[in-house]
Amino acid sequence: MAKPRTIYVCQECGAEFPQYFGRCTNCGAWNSLVETEPIEALTTTRPVSAVAWNRNLNAANGEKPGGQPRASVRLSEIADASVARMSSGYAELDRVLGGGIVPGSLVLIGGEPGIGKSTLLLQTASGLAQESRVLYVSAEESGQQIKLRAQRLLDGHPHIENSANETPVADLQQRVDLGANSGADAGDSRGPEGEPELGEGTLAVEPNFFLLPETDLEAILRELESLKPDFAVIDSIQTIYFSSLTSAPGSVAQVRECTSALMQVAKRENITLFVVGHVTKDGSIAGPRVLEHLVDTVLFFEGDRFASHRILRSMKNRFGATHEIGVFEMIANGLREVANPSELFMGSRDETVSGTCTVVACEGTRPILVELQALVSPASFGSPRRSATGIDSNRLQQILAVLEKRVGVPLSKLDTYLASVGGIRVEEPAADLGVAIAVVSGFRDRLVDPHTVLIGEVGLGGQVRQVSQLELRLREAAKLGFKRAIIPKGQNPPELGLKLIPVARVLDAILEAIPSASSPSPEAIESGGTQPALSLPPLDLAEDEDDWDDEPLNADGAETDGAETDLF
């Protein structure tokens, strides 16, 4: 009897190997190969050679003249079909999806444990159940656990009513309707003081909400075929298994086959499918990359679990813009959307301190004002420390090098810390000018005008480069009450009620944003006064400060005059 053939599959990338290796040669992951049995290929009578098979097919069907289609059609021959997007009940989720939910689409949602994926989908499913049929497949929690969480999250919603007089029901069946009463008796559901315990209350959800606590793929597919819901939620794909495969749930083979089977049913029955995916320790969705290629939209839930806000970011969207974000806030009753996220990521402008400035970052089509904070202090050891929160550390290192080489700010012996308020990630280069101004402000302990926004990309030559969507950024700044904007030279946006200051070099932007001690402040200029700008004592540098070249350099490499030298 021949020995059954086995292969080794990488659990990170899905690569297959005939023997075991300690490290995957495809993705470089260590100890990720798992021994599995290959799926037997379908037996066919086709010849081994594809050319021979094509020749036999032509001989059987008869040769057709060249240039004639066999099964393909022209694009103009396809009938037009108007697809109406459906609202999810959350304007932020609709924005990320490209304007609403496309019927028959597959949406993959990933994020760290406890970030709020199940909370968002449960609240969204309860809202969709008012007008459509929804199936919630819970592969990680039992029906009673989902019921308790729904009572806590959906309390106070317009379609939820709590009642103290409820009647007992039979044991929870495999498919649970959340429109039924709670399983606890009303007389036994009160504590010693007469207060209702967790689980009391009637969920008056529309009878179109169905719950299926199941991990077997075949049972889920049968339920989808029988119920034919408009929307279905799979929570999560890593816990569902196909009994025909010998590998464990969550493996590459299981995730690939389960997702493919669900996709075929969803496309055939026009079911909108939301799939929850686990993430690895590096933040990517667990399983093979084919999982992200099969779905139509990939969403990532981001945010600090110890903070209240959550960011839903679109990484792939076949029906809308990518890198669009939606902002939510975690409260006692679940997630609540944030209408104006700029106020969430901005500090108080009444208490201005040195090292802070405001930038306008664009995430997709949404401009967000973010406050950056920088702290510069003498290094305790020979090697200075660079730390960035919300900003790419490599980008910070590059801007510090430009400030020291092109502007003359001595930062090689100083610790530099940079953070964005609220912990939001600002990745686009348009925030470079704000990073440079915040570092210089923290270096000299001088204040930046709190009513000024900074927009621009910093080049390696010390120049300020142009950015995209400038008018959209300035419109958002004017709406929040800002008065001045330092922008790259050469861009001519329309008049929006802001005083525009175009600059061509980083040094020019520093002189405009951080006035010297002898120059009047912007508020004084507007009021007609001559009082000097508010500034703090200069930073006490190291003992060998005199050995450093504190003179800023102009574009030709020569030292500037006294007016610019006073800045440093």
Side-chain angles (χ1 to χ4, degrees), residues 41 46 90 112 147 162 180 204-205 230 252 300-301 351 357 375 377 384 429 452 507 513:
R46 295 179 181 177
Y90 285 98
E112 296 182 357
K147 182 70 176 288
N162 288 333
V205 184
D230 300 311
V252 171
F300 273 89
F301 229 168
E351 301 179 359
C357 67
L375 176 63
S377 62
T452 301
L507 182 58

Side-chain angles (χ1 to χ4, degrees), residues 2-54:
K3 180 180 179 180
R5 186 174 65 91
T6 60
I7 59 175
Y8 295 85
V9 182
C10 177
Q11 302 302 302
E12 297 292 336
C13 64
E16 299 180 357
F17 301 92
Q19 63 182 14
Y20 179 81
F21 295 98
R23 182 180 184 183
C24 175
T25 59
N26 187 35
C27 65
W30 289 92
N31 301 325
S32 61
L33 300 187
V34 176
E35 183 179 6
T36 58
E37 294 183 4
I39 303 176
E40 296 296 336
L42 297 177
T43 59
T44 62
T45 58
R46 295 179 181 177
V48 178
S49 174
V51 177
W53 173 81
N54 186 42

Side-chain angles (χ1 to χ4, degrees), residues 188-268:
D188 299 333
S189 61
R190 295 185 175 273
E193 302 296 332
E195 297 295 332
E197 294 181 354
L198 182 64
E200 180 183 3
T202 300
L203 292 181
V205 184
E206 295 293 332
N208 294 326
F209 193 113
F210 297 90
L211 177 64
L212 177 64
E214 183 59 65
T215 58
D216 188 2
L217 177 64
E218 297 179 358
I220 296 174
L221 294 179
R222 286 195 299 267
E223 186 68 18
L224 289 173
E225 294 280 359
S226 175
L227 184 61
K228 298 187 184 314
D230 300 311
F231 301 90
V233 178
I234 308 297
D235 188 10
S236 64
I237 191 63
Q238 273 80 13
T239 54
I240 296 177
Y241 71 94
F242 185 36
S243 58
S244 299
L245 301 178
T246 58
S247 56
S251 61
V252 171
Q254 289 283 3
V255 171
R256 181 168 51 205
E257 293 300 325
C258 293
T259 306
S260 179
L262 290 171
M263 180 198 66
Q264 294 177 9
V265 175
K267 295 297 184 182
R268 184 174 63 252

Side-chain angles (χ1 to χ4, degrees), residues 33 37 87 127 135 238 282 357 370 501 540:
L33 300 187
E37 294 183 4
S87 175
L135 174 63
Q238 273 80 13
D282 59 351
C357 67
V370 182
I501 304 175
D540 185 14

